[in-house]
Amino acid sequence: MSPSAPPSATTLLPRQRALVVGAGGVLGSALLAEALVAGRFARVAALVATPLAATLDGFVALPEAALDAPGAAVADIAFVVFERDRHANGRDEAFVRPDPLALPALAARLLAAGVRRLVVVVPHAPALLPAALAQGFASQTEHAVAALDFEHCVFLRAAQGATPQAGRSTVERLVGWWLSQLRWMIPAPQAALLTARLAQLVVTIGRLLPAVPPGTHVLAPEQLADAAREPDENQAEIKLAAAIARR
């Protein structure tokens, strides 16, 4: 940012302690890297299934059992990332991979562990998601999470591209091919965002939450894409804040 540029809205907000659940996948690891940029959060933790040496300043490898420790206060905000794509080198296995069906139980544990703000990233095939659900709850699972007493609860509908072919069954490859054909019917604003850019937007949303009214919010792929096209980051933040505040 140049000296003459106005300060970003997020730079004026208190720094939160962040927790990433699902940090091992393609998007999850990008989100973790984005969150770790110096100064964005007071501390960044990732929920791990096996011991992981933490060598970065401000990074904590948090065992899953820590969520259930008496008097736990693990984070102010948690990012839960669901995605199909995983790295092929096996490094993902150290990180907890959240189960979509167990989201209400996970959210309740996070709430009990001191988390006040929850951001859930839900990749989907845009052509298969009814328009009425793009900005509303897509399942009873999401209803159950929204009923919990979080200060902010945000569901992000992030359009996801095709899954890599390696390691998939014949049926999965066939379904993947069929989904790839649907891309010609998907409006440009719903096309999958580049992973790094999507990670930036998710982190920005998390940092903006203390400045928007409490509540539950659902952001459609079009709203994320609209902010992603904005070359001015301050304007992108303004669009995201407006999208979150719109209920």
Side-chain angles (χ1 to χ4, degrees):
M1 183 170 62
S2 66
S4 60
S8 165
T10 53
T11 63
L12 305 177
L13 295 172
R15 292 195 304 158
Q16 306 171 84
R17 295 166 301 152
L19 172 65
V20 181
V21 184
V26 176
L27 174 58
S29 59
L31 194 153
L32 179 61
E34 185 69 23
L36 282 167
V37 172
R40 290 187 171 166
F41 293 100
R43 189 194 75 179
V44 178
L47 205 62
V48 296
T50 60
L52 181 68
T55 58
L56 294 174
D57 289 341
F59 173 68
V60 175
L62 188 73
E64 187 173 6
L67 296 183
D68 304 314
V74 299
D76 304 304
I77 182 169
F79 299 93
V80 178
V81 184
F82 297 113
E83 58 183 319
R84 296 192 301 253
D85 296 353
R86 306 284 282 178
H87 291 107
N89 56 15
R91 73 180 187 183
D92 299 350
E93 302 310 315
F95 297 96
V96 169
R97 185 177 190 179
D99 177 359
L101 296 180
L103 178 59
L106 172 61
R109 292 172 70 195
L110 291 170
L111 183 65
V115 173
R116 303 304 304 164
R117 302 181 182 96
L118 180 68
V119 177
V120 182
V121 186
V122 190
H124 71 278
L128 303 183
L129 186 68
L133 295 182
Q135 297 187 49
F137 297 129
S139 67
Q140 290 299 316
T141 296
E142 293 183 2
H143 273 287
V145 173
L148 297 173
D149 193 27
F150 286 103
E151 184 176 330
H152 295 94
C153 182
V154 182
F155 292 95
L156 302 180
R157 308 281 189 226
Q160 181 161 344
T163 303
Q165 297 291 319
R168 297 202 300 167
S169 68
T170 301
V171 173
E172 288 174 324
R173 288 197 297 271
L174 178 61
V175 172
W177 172 85
W178 181 72
L179 289 175
S180 71
Q181 305 310 302
L182 292 177
R183 72 186 187 277
W184 303 112
M185 296 185 287
I186 299 174
Q190 290 189 5
L193 297 174
L194 292 175
T195 299
R197 182 55 172 154
L198 177 56
Q200 290 176 352
L201 295 177
V202 175
V203 168
T204 297
I205 287 169
R207 296 172 67 205
L208 283 169
L209 288 181
V212 301
T216 300
H217 316 275
V218 180
L219 269 67
E222 296 88 345
Q223 293 170 299
L224 291 173
D226 185 42
R229 287 193 300 270
E230 181 57 61
D232 184 302
E233 287 306 307
N234 284 353
Q235 290 301 313
E237 289 180 6
I238 290 171
K239 287 186 175 182
L240 288 173
I244 298 168
R246 191 179 303 124
R247 301 187 60 185

